[in-house]
């Protein structure tokens, strides 16, 4: 079903009775060319680009719960490409470019809003490091601007400029960054993939892999065995649990990251703002709620909920940056399970088992990567070789010493 | 989470710093044939279980002792808290 203005007018006159399901509920086939495990943003994007760009037919996406119930619906919806290292920056800039044309590609309104991302800094040393990052962004074809305090004051008058401990000295601004409605990303990719004949199978949990003499030939699920030529795993925080069924230990720890939404307020925050002296980022949704978050709780967790000490830490950061939000009441909070890798960068690679591919290690930056992750993973699955933008995201880089450690923290996942 | 410190009694988890899987106490020997591979596995690979997990916590805002905590990573329920020194002794290894 193709969505357009005429269709909306027609259905408006027709009591909205003609709409079909956004995606179907197909029967499971016995065998597929490619099975994607995980119906989150990355899995659905992979299936969509496999069908659209790489012309693979006969694809299934297996989701153990429902579409949009995992991390794709549990983030703070920010898109940006403001990384320092070339291996990351080129990839995330490609992702941002895909976001810019996403809605036409998938024929779905994902409310992509390039309202700008501002990272404020508070010291001379931090300014130098942000300038360096901005230059790295520009070298890789992204946009970056350095804002002085007057410029920031003119756009964001509500920040605390006179904070004695953390005075605002300026900011690194990316105009093309912004936010996207995260649920619509899941629904849109699912809709577009379904239109291209991808079978989206919900409530289908993979319980094991069928491995025959070093080759993965299918999966075991709660709905029976399904065979496939290639199997791609994109299950984020559950990656270690899933891959342990193939006797693999991954360079990952699963951690919980919380996000928070306030009651609806009149629009006053243009774009995304991040605090440079703590871990705090905030934007305002189209419904008016303040959407904000901070650091991971810092210990292994599969609970999808975190502790109050992190809520306190996040709110302290928020109040140091913009005391004006202190009177807003918190409406909702939730946790998502992050696949924290040992160097803070992702993995898009084949495994030592033939036919079994892995997409994981997104830490808490997976949402913005959704389109590029899907594209590069689809490239790997279709052609058997890495896309040039993801060729550094190898699984064995930890063994070979080619870490992509954006923060320089070493093999300590809760610091990335 | 409340951590029942074996010396100090119940303390809030926010006083502690988390290091990770208690298998980090099993540092491989450097002079073995497979030591390169062993150190790769030791440093970078984790079981990352959903369920019972033995893990290292440091009481930074307290007595600065290292603890080994047995905790369920799905429910956050804590079953056992031991001093890391005691834990290591019981592993039958010396403190080197």
């Amino acid at each position: 079903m193709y969505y357009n203005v005429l269709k909306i007018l027609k259905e408006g006159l027709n009591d909205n009775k003609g709409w079909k399901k956004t995606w179907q509920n197909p029967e499971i086939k016995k065998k597929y060319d490619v099975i994607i495990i995980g119906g989150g943003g990355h899995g659905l994007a992979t299936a969509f680009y496999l069908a659209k760009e790489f012309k693979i037919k006969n694809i299934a996406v297996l989701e153990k719960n429902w579409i949009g119930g995992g991390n794709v619906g549990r983030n703070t919806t920010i898109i940006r490409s403001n990384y320092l290292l070339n291996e990351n920056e080129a990839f995330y800039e490609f992702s941002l470019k895909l976001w810019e044309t996403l809605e036409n590609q998938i024929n779905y309104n994902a409310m992509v809003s390039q309202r700008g991302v501002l990272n404020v800094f508070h010291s001379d040393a931090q300014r130098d490091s942000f300038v360096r990052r901005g230059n790295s962004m520009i070298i890789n074809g992204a946009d970056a601007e350095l804002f002085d305090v007057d410029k920031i004051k003119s756009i964001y008058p509500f920040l605390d400029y006179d904070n004695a401990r953390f005075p605002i000295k300026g900011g690194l601004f990316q105009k093309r960054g912004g936010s996207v409605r995260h649920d619509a990303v899941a629904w849109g990719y699912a809709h577009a993939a379904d239109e291209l004949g991808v079978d989206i199978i919900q409530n289908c949990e993979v319980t094991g892999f069928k491995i025959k003499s070093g080759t993965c030939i299918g999966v075991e699920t709660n709905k029976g065995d399904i065979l496939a030529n290639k199997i791609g795993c994109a299950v984020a925080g559950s990656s270690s649990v899933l891959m342990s069924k193939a006797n693999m230990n991954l360079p990952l720890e699963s951690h919980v990251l919380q996000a928070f939404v306030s009651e609806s307020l009149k629009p006053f925050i243009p774009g995304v703002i991040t605090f440079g002296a703590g871990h705090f980022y905030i934007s305002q949704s189209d419904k008016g709620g303040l959407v904000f978050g901070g650091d991971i709780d810092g210990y292994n967790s599969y609970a999808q909920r975190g502790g109050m000490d992190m809520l306190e830490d996040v709110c302290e950061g928020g109040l140091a940056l913009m005391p004006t939000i202190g009177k807003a009441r918190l409406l909702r909070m939730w946790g998502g399970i992050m696949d924290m890798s040992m160097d803070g960068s992702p993995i898009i690679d084949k495994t030592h088992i033939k036919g079994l591919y892995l997409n994981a290690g997104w830490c808490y930056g997976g949402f913005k990567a959704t389109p590029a992750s899907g594209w590069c993973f689809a490239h790997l699955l279709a052609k058997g070789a890495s896309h040039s933008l993801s060729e550094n995201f190898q699984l064995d880089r930890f063994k070979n010493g080619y870490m992509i450690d954006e923060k320089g923290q070493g093999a300590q996942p809760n610091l990335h | 989470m409340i951590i029942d410190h074996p010396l100090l009694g119940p303390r809030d988890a926010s006083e502690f710093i988390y290091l990770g899987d208690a298998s980090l106490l099993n540092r491989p020997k450097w002079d073995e044939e497979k030591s390169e591979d062993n150190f790769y596995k030791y440093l970078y690979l984790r079981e990352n279980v959903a369920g019972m997990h033995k893990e290292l916590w440091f009481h930074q805002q307290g007595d600065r002792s290292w603890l080994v905590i047995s905790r369920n990573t799905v429910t956050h329920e804590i079953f056992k808290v031991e001093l890391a020194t005691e834990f290591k002794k019981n592993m039958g290894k010396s403190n080197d």
Side-chain angles (χ1 to χ4, degrees), chain B:
Chain B
M1 287 190 300
I2 302 291
I3 293 171
D4 195 4
H5 193 296
L7 303 176
L8 302 174
R11 311 296 306 180
D12 194 90
S14 60
E15 295 178 6
F16 294 78
I17 300 262
Y18 177 82
L19 183 69
D21 196 311
S23 65
L24 289 167
L25 288 167
N26 289 320
R27 191 181 169 86
K29 289 203 166 63
W30 65 272
D31 53 354
E32 282 179 350
E33 202 174 319
K34 284 177 124 184
S35 65
E36 197 178 339
D37 195 46
N38 290 342
F39 267 101
Y40 156 66
K41 286 176 181 157
Y42 169 80
L43 262 176
Y44 296 113
L45 301 187
R46 299 286 185 271
E47 277 187 43
N48 193 19
V49 291
M52 198 58 80
H53 192 228
K54 281 191 192 313
E55 55 201 20
L56 285 162
W57 291 71
F58 178 58
H59 198 189
Q60 196 198 33
Q61 306 290 326
D63 70 344
R64 303 184 75 79
S65 59
W66 281 98
L67 304 180
V68 174
I69 296 178
S70 306
R71 186 178 60 96
N72 188 324
T73 57
V74 179
T75 63
H76 294 175
E77 194 179 353
I78 293 173
F79 292 89
K80 199 173 178 188
V81 183
E82 301 162 84
L83 289 171
T85 45
E86 297 292 322
F87 181 85
K88 196 153 186 190
K89 259 183 217 159
N90 295 337
M91 281 162 52
K93 293 194 73 166
S94 62
N95 287 313
D96 48 10

Side-chain angles (χ1 to χ4, degrees), chain A residues 67-252:
Chain A
I67 297 303
N71 287 354
V72 71
R74 290 172 177 272
N75 51 70
T76 45
T77 78
I78 297 165
I79 59 168
R80 58 184 169 88
S81 67
N82 54 358
Y83 283 72
L84 173 69
L85 301 179
N86 289 335
E87 295 92 330
N88 281 328
E89 180 57 21
F91 174 85
Y92 286 104
E93 175 54 22
F94 177 59
S95 203
L96 194 51
K97 288 207 172 76
L98 289 175
W99 282 116
E100 287 171 331
T101 58
L102 176 79
E103 290 159 316
N104 286 331
Q105 292 274 326
I106 61 176
N107 177 230
Y108 206 89
N109 181 10
M111 296 158 79
V112 176
S113 172
Q114 295 180 289
R115 294 181 282 178
V117 173
L118 176 75
N119 310 121
V120 299
F121 53 77
H122 309 272
S123 68
D124 292 349
Q126 199 172 26
R127 180 198 59 216
D128 292 349
S129 101
F130 278 30
V131 167
R132 185 178 171 217
R133 180 139 62 100
N135 284 335
S136 174
M137 291 161 67
I138 292 166
I139 288 168
N140 281 289
D143 64 307
E145 284 173 72
L146 196 69
F147 278 5
D148 60 18
V149 179
D150 288 340
K151 176 84 177 172
I152 297 180
K153 272 185 183 164
S154 69
I155 308 173
Y156 311 92
F158 48 83
L159 299 180
D160 184 2
Y161 295 92
D162 302 321
N163 188 309
R165 180 74 180 83
F166 305 117
I168 292 170
K169 298 276 193 180
L172 179 65
F173 182 70
Q174 183 173 35
K175 195 172 188 323
R176 289 163 57 246
S179 61
V180 181
R181 183 172 181 212
H182 53 193
D183 300 315
V185 174
W187 301 334
Y189 271 124
H191 163 69
D194 179 81
E195 288 282 293
L196 293 169
V198 172
D199 283 1
I200 295 169
I201 312 207
Q202 301 180 78
N203 301 309
C204 179
E205 182 173 2
V206 172
T207 53
F209 294 100
K210 297 178 83 67
I211 296 170
K212 225 179 199 174
S213 55
T215 303
C216 191
I217 56 165
V219 292
E220 297 159 4
T221 77
N222 59 349
K223 297 190 173 183
D225 293 357
I226 312 171
L227 300 178
N229 296 331
K230 288 176 179 172
I231 290 130
C233 308
V235 297
S238 300
S239 294
S240 293
V241 174
L242 178 67
M243 300 314 279
S244 72
K245 299 179 199 306
N247 291 321
M248 285 176 68
N249 274 354
L250 300 181
L252 298 179

